[in-house]
Amino acid sequence: GAVVSQHPSRVICKSGTSVKIECRSLDFQATTMFWYRQFPKKSLMLMATSNEGSKATYEQGVEKDKFLINHASLTLSTLTVTSAHPEDSSFYICSANRGNTGELFFGEGSRLTVL
Amino acid sequence: GQNIDQPTEMTATEGAIVQINCTYQTSGFNGLFWYQQHAGEAPTFLSYNVLDGLEEKGRFSSFLSRSKGYSYLLLKELQMKDSASYLCAVRLNQGGKLIFGQGTELSVKP
């Protein structure tokens, strides 16, 4: 079964509104989670590293005020797309390491459409 | 910067063998991963190499040469359901951050 759960799987919103996406690790604690973005027929682009209890680390070119990340507990990280615009429409995927196996588990992904 | 290259598209025949290559030049290296991704879905883990050599897992095998910055994924006895995008990813350090290649879209034909 899934070890990382992401919600919602699909969301449609109006331009200018904010959208929150949740990423939960199931049955394990994740001090670090990763948020990726994927455009159609493109690969995954790392947006930021979410750190439990501290500020997220953003990749170059990613606006931290636009994509707010909160990692308030060891099993939950949230990504909020603020003041969404149509160009923010994309597939957002979170991931987490479980233990020291090296395997990175992905959530189911969230498809955001901004009208 | 980080650079991970793999072919954009490949086509193969059902029942055949296909090899998908990946070369990388990264600032760090703590393992190479292969993922499969079907359209509209999240990636699923296929294999992980951190030492040189071949890792076999059923119909899938992955090879790594750290000195050459090179890996390949070998798929045997291809099935139609293997049509998907295959992503090569390098973990830069023990923190787990993965950098992905652009993905190889594999089409399996009857």
Side-chain angles (χ1 to χ4, degrees):
Chain A
V3 295
V4 176
S5 177
Q6 196 171 333
H7 178 80
S9 58
R10 292 181 184 274
V11 57
I12 300 172
C13 70
K14 292 183 179 179
S15 188
T17 61
S18 294
V19 173
K20 181 186 284 188
I21 301 169
E22 294 186 346
C23 179
R24 295 181 185 273
S25 56
L26 307 177
D27 300 326
F28 72 101
Q29 295 179 334
T31 55
T32 303
M33 292 185 177
F34 304 92
W35 286 96
Y36 289 86
R37 181 176 182 177
Q38 188 175 34
F39 291 102
K41 296 190 181 296
K42 299 292 185 183
S43 190
L44 282 77
M45 181 192 80
L46 180 65
M47 297 175 66
T49 302
S50 173
N51 304 300
E52 188 269 334
S54 64
K55 291 182 180 179
T57 306
Y58 289 82
E59 295 299 305
Q60 193 172 9
V62 178
E63 297 176 62
K64 61 182 180 181
D65 295 330
K66 173 76 172 173
F67 300 100
L68 298 178
I69 291 172
N70 184 277
H71 195 152
S73 78
L74 287 170
T75 59
L76 174 65
S77 175
T78 61
L79 168 69
T80 302
V81 182
T82 62
S83 188
H85 288 279
E87 56 264 31
D88 298 326
S89 298
S90 190
F91 193 48
Y92 294 89
I93 310 176
C94 71
S95 64
N97 281 313
R98 183 175 67 179
N100 296 317
T101 61
E103 184 177 346
L104 194 67
F105 291 91
F106 284 89
E108 302 93 335
S110 300
R111 184 161 301 285
L112 171 63
T113 302
V114 184
L115 302 176
Chain B
Q2 321 295 351
N3 198 36
I4 302 174
D5 285 321
Q6 46 182 135
T8 306
E9 295 178 330
M10 296 184 73
T11 303
T13 305
E14 192 176 15
I17 299 174
V18 71
Q19 178 174 310
I20 303 174
N21 296 324
C22 172
T23 58
Y24 63 90
Q25 291 174 307
T26 55
S27 58
F29 182 84
N30 193 253
L32 188 139
F33 295 75
W34 284 95
Y35 285 84
Q36 180 192 63
Q37 186 180 27
H38 286 99
E41 298 179 9
T44 54
F45 172 78
L46 289 178
S47 70
Y48 165 64
N49 295 68
V50 67
L51 299 176
D52 290 352
L54 188 68
E55 293 283 340
E56 296 187 79
K57 213 176 186 182
R59 294 191 299 116
F60 298 86
S61 303
S62 57
F63 172 83
L64 174 67
S65 168
R66 288 171 297 170
S67 62
K68 294 182 180 178
Y70 168 69
S71 173
Y72 67 72
L73 178 70
L74 195 70
L75 292 77
K76 303 175 187 175
E77 301 169 16
L78 280 173
Q79 301 174 10
M80 299 298 289
K81 67 178 183 180
D82 296 329
S83 293
S85 183
Y86 291 84
L87 306 172
C88 170
V90 172
R91 187 168 63 172
L92 300 185
N93 52 48
Q94 282 197 315
K97 177 171 155 176
L98 287 190
I99 303 298
F100 283 82
Q102 70 268 32
T104 298
E105 191 70 36
L106 174 67
S107 297
V108 180
K109 309 280 186 195

